[in-house]
Amino acid sequence: MSGPLLAGLGLGVSFGETAALEDVSLSLSAGEVVAVMGTSGSGKSTLLHCLAGVLVPDRGEVSFAGERIDNQSDRRRSDLRLRSFGFVPQFGDLVPELTLLENVALPLRLLQVGRREATGRAAALLDELEVGSAASRRAGAASGGQVQRVAVARALVHCPSVVFADEPTGALDSATGELVLEALVATARDRGSAVLLVTHEAVVASHADREVVVRDGRLDLLAFPTVG
Ligand SMILES: Nc1ncnc2c1ncn2[C@@H]1O[C@H](COP(=O)(O)OP(=O)(O)O)[C@@H](O)[C@H]1O
Ligand SMILES: [Mg+2]
């Protein structure tokens, strides 16, 4: 395949009178980590949701692997998300009745991976993110920091082509945040996933190959690529 793995072109989203996103274009290549920065309310989550096919933009197009996805049915976009995308929501959004381990194994189970293998892969990721000792805790009883790490593990467990992470370190201390960022960057380096990382912290963005800034729903063209 030539061209970017994921591309948004001229994206626009309005919520009533609010223009959350205006004419934003952004593309990602395989193996690339891109940070989306911007203050609260600037449109970062809206951009992420459009690119991930969670939200259909009012204007513009989104393509994955050369194929338009924004005009596909809800069912096809859900299926694409399950197979090819990993999404870390800003507030975790785990299934509260399931254990942390079951939450991470869930995408694999939905993809028909056997229970044993799914559980093994989920447990290994929880260990890597240093939350393995809480694996049997119900998600509804877990701390914010545990939920956030488990949401990251759930997004990575099926080796997706694209990982979307919305403020994935917001509830973590800096050492644990570092662990999460390393796991996200390793996914890009080792498996060639594209990683789109939303943050308002410069230290988080410094892990990315490239950073863009959203301001009032528009991409700030004054943002320069980060070095190193
Ligand atoms: N579902 C929604 N309904 C109404 N307004 C929304 C909705 N989602 C986002 N917005 C508005 O769109 C703008 C961008 O929001 P968002 O993308 O969540 O910003 P960020 O993630 O940068 O904090 C904000 O003004 C926000 O209030
Ligand atoms: Mg947000």
Side-chain angles (χ1 to χ4, degrees):
M1 186 194 72
S2 61
L5 181 60
L6 183 77
L9 188 66
L11 299 176
V13 175
S14 303
F15 295 110
E17 298 282 280
T18 309
L21 218 54
E22 282 188 85
D23 195 23
V24 169
S25 298
L26 180 65
S27 51
L28 280 105
S29 303
E32 188 179 33
V33 182
V34 176
V36 177
M37 297 200 64
T39 54
S40 180
S42 57
K44 303 182 299 295
S45 292
T46 304
L47 174 60
L48 210 66
H49 292 151
C50 285
L51 290 172
V54 175
L55 178 70
V56 176
D58 298 316
R59 294 165 296 280
E61 300 180 1
V62 180
S63 309
F64 169 68
E67 194 181 346
R68 253 186 95 169
I69 60 170
D70 60 279
N71 57 3
Q72 293 181 358
S73 65
D74 283 352
R75 195 198 167 100
R76 280 195 66 189
R77 277 185 287 111
S78 298
D79 192 57
L80 173 73
R81 284 201 301 276
L82 176 63
R83 282 172 206 291
S84 303
F85 293 171
F87 198 94
V88 186
Q90 191 164 359
F91 302 106
D93 294 337
L94 302 181
V95 183
E97 298 80 13
L98 298 182
T99 67
L100 297 180
L101 185 69
E102 288 165 345
N103 267 279
V104 179
L106 190 58
L108 294 175
R109 297 294 289 148
L110 293 172
L111 289 166
Q112 317 295 332
V113 173
R115 183 179 299 276
R116 233 185 135 99
E117 189 190 335
T119 304
R121 282 165 64 179
L125 257 177
L126 287 179
D127 283 343
E128 189 184 321
L129 294 171
E130 295 180 3
V131 70
S133 60
S136 60
R137 178 169 294 178
R138 277 195 322 108
S143 73
Q146 289 171 340
V147 166
Q148 194 149 48
R149 277 176 284 169
V150 170
V152 170
R154 181 185 56 180
L156 299 180
V157 75
H158 58 307
C159 305
S161 300
V162 187
V163 179
F164 302 88
D166 199 347
E167 312 258 7
T169 61
L172 305 175
D173 62 63
S174 54
T176 315
E178 201 55 37
L179 207 62
V180 161
L181 290 167
E182 277 166 19
L184 290 170
V185 171
T187 299
R189 302 291 174 258
D190 304 345
R191 295 179 184 149
S193 308
V195 176
L196 193 59
L197 179 62
V198 164
T199 181
H200 57 264
E201 294 180 80
V203 62
V204 174
S206 70
H207 287 74
D209 302 312
R210 180 158 68 93
E211 75 186 60
V212 298
V213 179
V214 185
R215 214 180 297 270
D216 298 330
R218 292 179 176 274
L219 270 204
D220 192 333
L221 297 174
L222 294 177
F224 294 105
T226 49
V227 178

